[in-house]
Amino acid sequence: MSPVRGRVARCALQGRGGHFRILFRMATSTTATSTLPASRTEPDGSAVIRVLSYNIRSMRDDREALARVIGACEPDLVLVQEAPRFFRWRKRAAWLAAHSGLVVLGGGATASGPLLLCSLRVTVERTEDVLLPRTPGLHQRGFATAVVRIGGARFGVLSCHLSLQREERYAQGGMLLDRVEEMGVEHAVVGGDLNDRPDGRTFRRLAGELQDCWAVKPWGGEFTSTPENPHQRIDAVFATPGIEVLGCGVPPGLPEADVRAATDHLPVLAALRVPAAPDGRTGSN
């Protein structure tokens, strides 16, 4: 489903008591992210997609503001970190998806925090939640992964939240690269809270194999932490080399009150062009 500006732009299914209703979200002709390429499917089957990476601190802050920030970014895919993991976590994830004009794709507590949301443009091929080896005394970590199609493009998606501990984080960076390889796809997009800066060992390990989308095509703001005092880039979107980066960064023009109230990180939004798959099969437009 391509965004339709000025009319009904997004819809999502929300379940309640076994029944479903359609939630519609309106879009204006000018949005906070209108300077970034809009989602679309090209005549050759390649897909221009918007990918958002966002640490939401378990929805402990203003969830209405959080939903508004996500919706304003008009993403096709949201790679969430610190999704709710405990009591009624599925209900809370479903609420966030529906109020952002999206649906739940995978992850959550079963991936120990990483969560995937998507728009109705996305055709899901498969999903897998991966728990990483746990160091005694440290938090359990995991990856939320999926293989999806948009238009004629087929690609992998991975959301991560890496360790605060330096050595464990570096090992998890290697596991992330291994997982991308094991997904068996030509193209993949990775997003997450790395708990590491661009000059850090783990960040550099990932950027050595994948495109650091901000470094390739900066757009908007650079620093992702914290909303009150942005001073470091510890959240990022990466893409495999065959994907064209059209722009990436912290979206400018988002309502400051919402950004500050939503969570303790700033969102990272990337526009990417993913080539069409060789088999020519297509999903939603």
Side-chain angles (χ1 to χ4, degrees):
M1 182 182 68
S2 300
V4 181
R5 300 184 183 275
R7 296 290 181 182
V8 173
R10 298 190 181 278
C11 65
L13 293 174
Q14 182 182 47
R16 181 172 295 176
H19 300 284
F20 290 90
R21 64 191 179 95
I22 301 293
L23 298 180
F24 291 99
R25 184 171 297 276
M26 301 301 294
T28 60
S29 57
T30 301
T31 70
T33 63
S34 60
T35 59
L36 196 69
S39 302
R40 62 184 183 272
T41 300
E42 305 285 22
D44 65 357
S46 63
V48 174
I49 64 171
R50 286 186 171 201
V51 179
L52 184 71
S53 182
Y54 205 6
N55 183 317
I56 66 171
R57 192 158 65 168
S58 299
M59 294 175 64
R60 296 200 306 260
D61 302 290
D62 186 336
R63 66 179 191 172
E64 298 281 355
L66 178 65
R68 287 193 295 269
V69 170
I70 294 173
C73 293
E74 299 187 332
D76 299 296
L77 291 154
V78 184
L79 284 51
V80 173
Q81 301 84 49
E82 288 195 39
R85 294 184 293 128
F86 301 111
F87 185 62
R88 294 184 175 174
W89 68 268
R90 288 183 176 86
K91 182 176 181 179
R92 297 175 70 193
W95 184 97
L96 180 62
H99 286 77
S100 304
L102 304 166
V103 295
V104 175
L105 174 56
T110 49
S112 198
L115 173 74
L116 299 174
L117 308 179
C118 68
S119 76
L120 299 184
R121 287 187 77 204
V122 176
T123 298
V124 184
E125 189 172 302
R126 67 178 188 267
T127 65
E128 184 178 4
D129 300 331
V130 180
L131 293 179
L132 303 180
R134 182 177 182 179
T135 301
L138 298 180
H139 291 297
Q140 176 71 65
R141 303 282 177 172
F143 302 144
T145 75
V147 175
V148 303
R149 289 179 180 265
I150 298 181
R154 176 178 183 264
F155 57 99
V157 183
L158 187 152
S159 177
C160 68
H161 186 187
L162 302 187
S163 176
L164 289 164
Q165 201 278 331
R166 185 173 181 270
E167 294 304 322
E168 184 182 52
R169 180 170 63 242
Y170 186 75
Q172 291 170 353
M175 295 174 203
L176 187 158
L177 295 173
D178 289 344
R179 178 57 53 173
V180 170
E181 184 70 23
E182 291 164 4
M183 292 172 77
V185 291
E186 184 177 358
H187 307 294
V189 178
V190 174
D193 177 352
L194 304 184
N195 278 316
D196 203 23
R197 299 178 181 182
D199 60 353
R201 194 163 66 124
T202 301
F203 202 120
R204 287 187 285 109
R205 183 176 193 175
L206 297 180
E209 299 287 338
L210 305 170
Q211 298 183 86
D212 172 8
C213 295
W214 160 262
V216 172
K217 189 78 170 183
W219 166 87
E222 177 181 5
F223 299 136
T224 64
S225 176
T226 60
E228 293 79 11
N229 178 32
H231 64 282
Q232 58 182 347
R233 183 161 72 99
I234 60 173
D235 306 85
V237 175
F238 295 91
T240 49
I243 293 175
E244 181 183 359
V245 181
L246 304 176
C248 178
V250 176
L254 294 173
E256 184 175 350
D258 281 350
V259 169
R260 287 175 175 248
T263 179
D264 62 344
H265 284 244
L266 293 171
V268 181
L269 180 63
L272 310 170
R273 180 179 285 109
V274 185
D279 60 16
R281 290 164 51 195
T282 60
S284 302
N285 284 327

